Amino acid sequence: MKTIMLFFSLTLLISFQSYSQLEFEGVIKSNFKTIQLDDGEIKYYNFNNKSQEIKLYNLDNSLWKTIHLSLDKNHFFEEILMVSQKTINPDENFEIVYTCLKYGIASIEENPESYENKIEFTLNIINESGQKILSVPNSQSFNLASSNGKNKLLIYKNIGRSFLDDNETLVYALPNKK
């Protein structure tokens, strides 16, 4: 009986060992960020400031797409918020929702000699060929919503400098998914 229990325990231990092994696939450098497409696929990307290009890679390290961003003067790329194929526009092109920022120095009105650092964000939507679809200054976040079968893009716009100011939510109709 001890032999049967020992044999059974050994078999069970070996079977757990064979299923629990992790397999190392590679390393993604810290200057790359990951993004999940609207179909659930995961990509990672890096922005080259000099060429103003975003390179998107598959998880197997193969290049998926290279997209040129034309940033406005004195604007810096911040991050990709979404890569979509059918959610924003039903054509075959991918759309990229990203933010950029601009640093500025504003004087305080009561004391013109003191200055305050100011960061201005802009939310942009372009297609994969670099064509600008939408640009919203003073915005850094958005949400996708669906109500009564209608899809909406909600963009949160910061009008003032404090939480007490009158901010806006811009509402855009999106095409229904096919």
Side-chain angles (χ1 to χ4, degrees):
M1 185 68 162
K2 283 185 178 181
T3 333
I4 293 173
M5 287 300 281
L6 184 62
F7 177 72
F8 180 70
S9 299
L10 189 59
T11 306
L12 193 60
L13 182 64
I14 291 172
S15 66
F16 281 133
Q17 282 287 339
S18 64
Y19 287 109
S20 65
Q21 294 297 318
L22 297 176
E23 186 177 330
F24 179 73
E25 290 188 357
V27 174
I28 298 174
K29 300 279 186 189
S30 63
N31 59 344
F32 287 84
K33 295 189 179 190
T34 57
I35 189 86
Q36 188 168 14
L37 305 181
D38 52 2
D39 66 359
E41 196 172 346
I42 296 175
K43 305 288 184 192
Y44 64 95
Y45 70 90
N46 187 4
F47 178 71
N48 184 328
N49 201 22
K50 208 175 232 184
S51 65
Q52 292 192 343
E53 289 181 332
I54 292 177
K55 291 190 182 247
L56 292 141
Y57 296 89
N58 297 309
L59 288 178
D60 66 357
N61 295 327
S62 62
L63 181 64
W64 181 57
K65 290 193 181 294
T66 300
I67 299 163
H68 180 75
L69 296 181
S70 54
L71 298 174
D72 294 335
K73 186 177 180 180
N74 298 325
H75 280 77
F76 300 95
F77 173 77
E78 184 189 25
E79 71 176 321
I80 292 178
L81 300 176
M82 180 180 177
V83 177
S84 164
Q85 185 173 17
K86 300 286 183 191
T87 302
I88 294 176
N89 196 347
D91 64 4
E92 292 303 312
N93 288 329
F94 282 85
E95 287 78 36
I96 295 95
V97 180
Y98 70 96
T99 56
C100 59
L101 55 95
K102 177 183 176 183
Y103 296 104
I105 298 175
S107 65
I108 299 175
E109 294 174 16
E110 293 88 29
N111 184 0
E113 293 184 29
S114 66
Y115 290 94
E116 166 183 292
N117 288 334
K118 183 178 177 186
I119 299 175
E120 298 173 14
F121 292 95
T122 303
L123 186 132
N124 298 292
I125 302 176
I126 62 168
N127 65 15
E128 66 184 275
S129 63
Q131 179 184 12
K132 195 173 277 192
I133 297 170
L134 181 67
S135 182
V136 181
N138 301 319
S139 178
Q140 184 184 13
S141 63
F142 78 103
N143 193 14
L144 297 172
S146 182
S147 176
N148 298 323
K150 295 183 178 165
N151 299 319
K152 305 289 182 190
L153 171 67
L154 307 174
I155 297 178
Y156 305 110
K157 188 171 182 179
N158 184 5
I159 304 278
R161 295 180 179 215
S162 72
F163 291 112
L164 301 176
D165 291 328
D166 191 23
N167 296 322
E168 298 177 334
T169 301
L170 307 176
V171 181
Y172 293 90
L174 292 174
N176 289 327
K177 294 181 183 179
K178 295 178 182 177

